[in-house]
Amino acid sequence: AKKSSGYDSRKEHRRANELRLMQRAGLITNLREQVSYELIPTQRGADGKVLERACDYIADFVYTDKDGKTVVEDTKGVKTKEYIIKRKLMLHVHGIRIVEK
């Protein structure tokens, strides 16, 4: 994917513009970008030293739809194995089903 105007891809940049227009039209509210969700907390040994850093999922977009439901959205070109695992963890840990665009 080619970076575009600070976004990871042209597809993500286009979607950001669409969502901004939807927010201006009142179709969605509370649009946020690059929202982090902790999937696995930091793991520490008995001595308090970090053994494993936390594992986070960073959503491309989070917004509230017209029905008041929070939508977590990811703009994907290719679904990597890492993304698929994080998508499953989001559902398991937070009960959030990611909308893929």
Side-chain angles (χ1 to χ4, degrees):
K2 224 176 190 180
K3 292 209 179 243
S4 176
S5 298
Y7 291 93
D8 286 340
S9 68
R10 282 182 253 149
K11 185 176 183 179
E12 186 178 337
H13 183 207
R14 278 193 303 274
R15 184 61 181 158
N17 289 336
E18 286 173 11
L19 290 170
R20 280 192 214 102
L21 286 172
M22 290 171 69
Q23 182 164 254
R24 278 191 225 120
L27 300 173
I28 64 169
T29 58
N30 197 28
L31 176 61
R32 294 168 286 147
E33 297 182 21
Q34 303 301 304
V35 178
S36 182
Y37 291 87
E38 185 175 77
L39 299 174
I40 304 170
T42 299
Q43 307 294 304
R44 296 182 183 275
D47 58 1
K49 288 186 180 177
V50 174
L51 300 174
E52 294 287 344
R53 294 182 306 168
C55 175
D56 297 322
Y57 164 71
I58 300 173
D60 291 336
F61 308 103
V62 177
Y63 55 90
T64 306
D65 69 11
K66 65 182 182 219
D67 298 324
K69 180 182 161 213
T70 298
V71 177
V72 176
E73 186 175 300
D74 203 292
T75 307
K76 280 282 169 244
V78 176
K79 294 178 190 172
T80 64
K81 288 181 181 182
E82 179 183 6
Y83 166 73
I84 291 169
I85 290 168
K86 287 184 176 187
R87 181 186 69 198
K88 291 176 182 187
L89 281 167
M90 277 291 283
L91 186 57
H92 179 72
V93 173
H94 296 288
I96 296 171
R97 183 126 191 139
I98 299 168
V99 174
E100 298 169 349
K101 293 287 180 173

